Amino acid sequence: MIPRATLRLQFHRGFTFADAASHADWFARLGVSHVYASPIAVARPGSMHGYDVVDPTAVNPELGGEEGLLALAKALRAVDVGLILDIVPNHMAADTRNGWWRDVLRQGRASAHAAWFDIDWEPTEAGPAKILLPVLGRPLAEAIEAGEFSVAPDGEGRAELRYFDNAFPLSDGSAEGRGSLANLLARQHYRLESWRVAGDRINWRRFFDINELVCLRMERPEAFEAVHALPLRLYAEGVVDGLRIDHVDGLTDPAGYCQQLRERLDGLAAQHGRPRAWLVVEKILLKGETLPKGWGCDGTTGYDFMDEVSALQHDPAGEAILAKAWAGLSGRPETFADEELMARREIVARSFSAQLEACAAAWQAVVGEVIPRPTLRRLLAEFLAHVPVYRTYGAGDVLSDSDAEILREVGGKVARSCLATDRWAVEPLLAAMLAPKKAPVAWPRAMARFQQLSAPIAAKSVEDTGFYRYGRLLSRNDVGFDIETFSLDVDAFHARMQRRRADYPHTMLATATHDHKRGEDLRARLAVVSELGSEWTALLERWIDPTSSRVTPGDRAMLLQMIVGAWPLDLDRDDAAGRSAFAERLCGWQEKALREAKLESDWAAVNEAYEKDARSFTMRLVAEAALPDFLDDLLAFVRRIAPAGAVNGLAQCLLKLTVPGVPDFYQGTDLWDFSLVDPDNRRPVDFAAREKMADGPLLGLALHWRDGAIKQALIERILALRKRAPHIFAEGTYRPVEVEGPLRRSVVAFVREAGDDWMLVAVPRLMAPMIAAHDDLGFRTGAWSDTALSFDGSLAKLAHDVLRDRSIELSRRTPLDLLWGDLPIALISSVSPG
């Protein structure tokens, strides 16, 4: 079943299945066909996201348990809304409340679950391998001396080791006549260490560098069956209609996994008479990369579209101006490529040293007779620093031509960047990587180690480090974004939509997620700065005196972008309480940004003095208005770009609703979304207030556009059309429309056709100079008078103007003033909206 549109909901104990069920009527009124739920399996107590699963076989009782889930599904079905589940096959919580993990800690390699987790069980010089648990706040000897441990019975009467709020099982019989605590610990299958040594010593694969999440091995049939038993049963029983797969790149063989899951789902569909399940994967695509064909899924979770529509709204003329200004102000690199390379090398060294060692050991089995281990380790680090995408997909004895090309490109860069004394070894290592059949036993494991390491290094280096260090324009720094592509022109955007229509017409389209760094309308507003590059840089020069604060100029410049991008539309300059609340939100973002950047502060080594100075600067500027002229300048700039930002937001929304794919709406984004990075973007959503919002013609709602009702009404109208004419959206062709006139590069127009039915979409881009001076969403009179759409005869007829509730006659040359005279976007269709 292909959804018409999805609504992403974040479930936790503060927003349960019952809470969602109470709003089912509103979900249906908005027009979505499916609720897309965050993970529902049992997670760590109090989890706000559900990705730290402790029992994937049961529904989380904090959310309402299976009974609550079934009640939600029933309430949704009553209003013709289905359910999509987000599942987590890559990792679980490394928590002793996780029964599988607890059993492995108790029994070691003898546990029935030992092979389910990605643990390096190779023996060491000291004897059998022990699972490293980096949970201590200090070295083990110091913790023992401080009396931080105790032994007590668990709920079943078995002895367990207590360390503050942590409880660790003891191997059977080891507590009897245990002697000293050190002797007791020596008899366990795990080794307790300080959390600070994890990156260098850990011997199991983590999710990225998070010590609390241990990775699973879905290539093990028993593990696959156990993890998927619940979602497959819920699909077979008709409770859910599809699955979203979290972090597919973390798996050993994503292609094989997806094919296996598709086969199981298709088998259940045939057995139970169910529509084919919708299956999408969380996959970040970079550098022109496309989702490989043949995986058996319907597409990605939509980061690629989020990137494309953002790039479309950025003016290429602003790129060099903003980059040069950023480098001069911050002292950081002018290009992101340089920033990324530094971050990758740093992240490998600080967070993945142990995994790099395991990778080198695996490759030693392939090329150890030719390349010494230390040389191999250094070269692998360089390879990982240069991989341009998240990972390649070699498996078994197969490496695709496209993956081979990526590795050759990386090998060429490594040959130039590695130590001169290591250069000789690049060719034999690359040759081994490209020849899986020459080492059929050792190569699959070695390549898996490399691929499963390149993905977290990319994520931690790019999204969680580089994006917080590079402040050219923050609207181009978000999850899944190809930051080196500052702007897409109209032709490039059309080409990508046509490719999506051909390859994955039912992929998800996102513009906001639970992981985004900036809300969709914040990014849309900041994109306007790319059109005003010279003006913005002049303002920065006036606003930022390098000597006026202990906060670095770069950190202040990023803060100012966030203030300008996120200033709430309903926040008045004289509202002291509102300013204070906004400042607190900014400080939350700022703390995370500073620690993720790892320059002035760090999660592992918090610089309290610097963070205090940064917070003080933010609070003085925003909450206290202690620099009134400065604040007034900022707000004058916000007022200037806010209308154009809102037009960008509506255009972004309309494109998501009409290009090939399934639009997703992250909770709360039916109104303006100026959220910041998590946890700000996971704040409670006032669904009750949304249910009470007045509806009406878009023209009327445009008069008070700041309340967001126009965006909500736009969504309702287009989703109603999708319901009335699903064939246009699901099957329709995608044909760019020719634009004539001086502003043609500022117009995105296309037609989608299915049989005799069609729709025309036209939205503006790079239109800040065309916005009327007064505070509305209209364009200056005559702004588009010389620019028109050129049609063939098939569309030159009477049609329905869906957004204006009127009939309209298109001619072979239709002026944009006719389409955008009173609203800045247009959708014309042969199908009546009803």
Side-chain angles (χ1 to χ4, degrees):
M1 176 181 290
I2 305 303
R4 178 169 64 251
T6 57
L7 175 67
R8 168 72 177 206
L9 296 180
Q10 292 292 118
F11 288 104
H12 47 81
R13 62 186 179 191
F15 185 79
T16 66
F17 299 140
D19 294 318
S22 69
H23 301 295
D25 287 339
W26 183 79
F27 302 155
R29 193 190 89 189
L30 185 65
V32 299
S33 64
H34 287 78
V35 161
Y36 154 38
S38 61
I40 63 164
V42 182
R44 296 174 77 177
S47 175
M48 295 299 289
H49 48 75
Y51 292 98
D52 45 358
V53 176
V54 297
D55 182 4
T57 68
V59 180
N60 195 340
E62 288 190 348
L63 310 183
E66 185 158 341
E67 182 179 352
L69 177 67
L70 296 179
L72 169 61
K74 182 178 180 181
L76 293 174
R77 295 290 183 197
V79 292
D80 200 25
V81 174
L83 194 59
I84 304 294
L85 285 190
D86 187 347
I87 67 170
V88 192
N90 177 68
H91 56 267
M92 296 179 71
D95 187 305
T96 53
R97 284 164 288 206
N98 174 348
W100 301 348
W101 183 242
R102 186 179 180 87
D103 190 62
V104 174
L105 295 182
R106 184 187 301 281
Q107 300 193 61
R109 202 166 186 176
S111 168
H113 309 294
W116 297 13
F117 297 103
D118 202 345
I119 302 168
D120 185 357
W121 290 107
E122 294 301 316
T124 66
E125 293 179 0
K130 292 192 174 190
I131 302 168
L132 182 95
L133 297 183
V135 297
L136 305 182
R138 62 175 87 189
L140 176 61
E142 293 181 15
I144 292 175
E145 185 177 352
E148 294 174 351
F149 296 100
S150 64
V151 176
D154 65 13
E156 299 176 353
R158 290 179 166 184
E160 67 180 8
L161 182 70
R162 304 276 177 84
Y163 174 74
F164 295 102
D165 293 333
N166 299 282
F168 305 100
L170 297 174
S171 58
D172 292 339
S174 65
E176 300 172 7
R178 61 181 181 265
S180 70
L181 184 60
N183 286 336
L184 175 65
L185 291 175
R187 294 198 291 271
Q188 305 311 312
H189 295 288
Y190 52 84
R191 186 173 77 255
L192 299 174
E193 295 237 22
S194 164
W195 64 272
R196 293 187 180 278
V197 307
D200 290 330
R201 294 185 180 174
I202 202 160
N203 62 343
W204 44 273
R205 191 165 57 89
R206 303 168 290 175
F207 174 68
F208 296 171
D209 59 354
I210 302 173
N211 296 337
E212 292 78 20
L213 296 175
V214 56
C215 288
L216 290 160
R217 300 179 64 197
M218 287 299 97
E219 65 271 26
R220 302 289 300 190
E222 324 89 76
F224 179 95
E225 293 301 327
V227 168
H228 294 85
L230 175 64
L232 289 174
R233 175 171 64 82
L234 293 174
Y235 170 68
E237 294 174 354
V239 179
V240 304
D241 295 322
L243 302 176
R244 179 260 198 196
I245 310 304
D246 182 64
H247 189 51
V248 74
D249 274 346
L251 303 176
T252 298
D253 179 12
Y257 166 84
C258 289
Q259 291 159 358
Q260 181 182 6
L261 183 56
R262 171 55 77 190
E263 183 178 345
R264 292 295 300 279
L265 289 166
D266 285 354
L268 291 172
Q271 182 180 350
H272 297 276
R274 298 233 48 221
R276 194 172 198 239
W278 189 53
L279 181 63
V280 292
V281 296
E282 184 191 31
K283 162 67 184 157
I284 288 175
L285 303 169
L286 298 174
K287 308 293 190 297
E289 181 186 19
T290 58
L291 185 67
K293 296 181 180 179
W295 281 18
C297 59
D298 291 295
T300 71
T301 53
Y303 299 147
D304 40 335
F305 174 77
M306 190 163 118
D307 173 38
E308 291 159 351
V309 74
S310 169
L312 178 71
Q313 295 183 333
H314 283 71
D315 190 342
E319 180 177 9
I321 296 169
L322 294 168
K324 183 177 181 180
W326 164 252
L329 186 67
S330 67
R332 304 295 301 176
E334 188 169 325
T335 67
F336 183 74
D338 292 336
E339 194 73 83
E340 178 184 350
L341 187 58
M342 288 191 292
R344 281 178 174 268
R345 287 176 172 145
E346 179 183 325
I347 291 298
V348 170
R350 68 174 269 157
S351 299
F352 295 102
S353 179
Q355 281 183 252
L356 177 63
E357 191 63 35
C359 184
W363 280 104
Q364 189 173 28
V366 181
V367 296
E369 294 184 2
V370 178
I371 306 174
R373 175 77 161 265
T375 305
L376 187 57
R377 192 182 194 280
R378 290 193 298 271
L379 284 183
L380 286 168
E382 277 299 288
F383 266 81
L384 291 163
H386 287 289
V387 174
V389 292
Y390 262 55
R391 60 168 286 174
T392 53
Y393 297 96
D397 62 354
V398 176
L399 183 72
S400 70
D401 291 343
S402 59
D403 283 348
E405 184 59 33
I406 289 172
L407 291 173
R408 289 190 188 95
E409 176 189 337
V410 171
K413 292 180 178 179
V414 171
R416 294 189 293 273
S417 68
C418 71
L419 295 174
T421 51
D422 289 345
R423 200 164 291 146
W424 67 271
V426 175
E427 185 174 340
L429 176 56
L430 178 61
M433 288 181 167
L434 298 175
K437 294 184 179 180
K438 288 188 177 181
V441 176
W443 188 92
R445 178 173 174 79
M447 183 53 74
R449 288 289 194 192
F450 179 79
Q451 293 173 151
Q452 288 179 297
L453 184 50
S454 74
I457 286 173
K460 295 303 296 181
S461 304
V462 176
E463 293 175 25
D464 293 345
T465 303
F467 279 6
Y468 289 99
R469 293 180 175 181
Y470 188 66
R472 173 192 59 190
L473 189 58
L474 295 179
S475 45
R476 289 299 298 142
N477 301 17
D478 220 308
V479 57
F481 280 26
D482 187 351
I483 189 173
E484 291 185 62
T485 301
F486 184 75
S487 177
L488 277 184
D489 64 26
V490 176
D491 289 341
F493 180 79
H494 284 319
R496 299 211 185 184
M497 298 307 106
Q498 290 173 312
R499 184 174 68 190
R500 182 172 289 116
R501 167 65 182 80
D503 295 345
Y504 286 101
H506 306 308
T507 188
M508 182 181 281
L509 306 175
T511 47
T513 75
H514 61 284
D515 281 331
H516 70 232
K517 302 184 186 305
R518 277 157 281 276
E520 61 184 51
D521 297 303
L522 191 165
R523 294 193 310 270
R525 184 192 292 173
L526 267 187
V528 181
V529 174
S530 69
E531 301 181 61
L532 307 171
S534 296
E535 183 176 338
W536 174 253
T537 57
L539 290 173
L540 288 180
E541 290 175 4
R542 186 166 79 245
W543 289 337
I544 299 180
D545 177 357
T547 64
S548 66
S549 172
R550 284 173 290 192
V551 181
T552 67
D555 286 340
R556 279 180 280 162
M558 286 193 182
L559 172 66
L560 297 185
Q561 287 189 51
M562 293 300 286
I563 294 172
V564 165
W567 189 276
L569 287 166
D570 60 353
L571 178 55
D572 186 74
R573 162 70 168 80
D574 298 326
D575 180 357
R579 290 201 320 272
S580 180
F582 179 48
E584 287 291 348
R585 291 177 54 214
L586 287 167
C587 286
W589 161 82
Q590 185 178 56
E591 178 185 276
K592 182 167 185 173
L594 293 174
R595 295 179 184 181
E596 295 283 17
K598 307 169 189 67
L599 296 174
E600 303 299 335
S601 192
D602 197 308
W603 292 108
V606 174
N607 185 339
E608 294 182 0
Y610 186 83
E611 290 188 5
K612 182 179 179 181
D613 288 340
R615 176 182 171 84
S616 176
F617 179 78
T618 302
M619 296 302 290
R620 290 183 67 241
L621 176 59
V622 179
E624 301 165 20
L627 305 169
D629 293 341
F630 190 175
L631 184 59
D632 288 342
D633 269 357
L634 279 174
L635 296 187
F637 193 80
V638 171
R639 285 192 295 272
R640 178 169 176 198
I641 68 171
V647 173
N648 272 344
L650 293 176
Q652 173 179 248
C653 186
L654 181 55
L655 290 172
K656 179 172 71 172
L657 283 158
T658 54
V659 301
V662 176
D664 173 61
F665 297 90
Y666 180 66
Q667 59 179 27
T669 61
D670 55 298
L671 302 183
W672 300 124
D673 173 25
F674 295 103
S675 58
L676 313 179
V677 73
D678 65 275
D680 189 79
N681 62 11
R682 302 176 189 179
R683 289 176 296 156
V685 176
D686 191 345
F687 289 110
R690 283 163 166 75
E691 292 169 6
K692 296 174 184 176
M693 291 190 71
D695 195 5
L698 264 67
L699 290 176
L701 297 176
L703 298 177
H704 50 89
W705 59 272
R706 289 176 173 273
D707 64 8
I710 186 173
K711 184 180 178 186
Q712 186 184 90
L714 172 68
I715 294 168
E716 290 181 3
R717 279 158 177 70
I718 307 308
L719 290 183
L721 183 63
R722 287 184 75 107
K723 185 175 184 179
R724 188 172 178 84
H727 54 295
I728 300 179
F729 297 87
E731 307 159 15
T733 59
Y734 181 98
R735 177 164 56 90
V737 171
E738 183 181 352
V739 184
E740 300 174 348
L743 298 178
R744 59 185 179 276
R745 80 183 191 107
S746 290
V747 181
V748 183
F750 59 89
V751 170
R752 301 201 62 191
E753 295 175 283
D756 293 331
D757 294 327
W758 56 269
M759 68 176 178
L760 161 71
V761 175
V763 301
R765 65 185 285 265
L766 312 184
M767 68 2 245
M770 281 77 85
I771 294 289
H774 43 84
D775 186 31
D776 65 25
L777 302 186
F779 296 118
R780 288 185 290 102
T781 302
W784 303 92
S785 58
D786 295 327
T787 306
L789 305 183
S790 179
F791 302 114
D792 58 26
S794 65
L795 298 187
K797 59 183 69 173
L798 191 67
H800 305 279
D801 187 332
V802 175
L803 304 185
R804 292 161 185 78
D805 299 317
R806 66 179 183 181
S807 295
I808 185 171
E809 187 167 358
L810 301 179
S811 60
R812 288 178 178 269
R813 188 179 188 281
T814 299
L816 281 163
D817 272 350
L818 175 66
L819 297 181
W820 294 341
D822 40 24
L823 275 179
I825 54 176
L827 191 155
I828 314 300
S829 178
S830 64
V831 178
S832 166

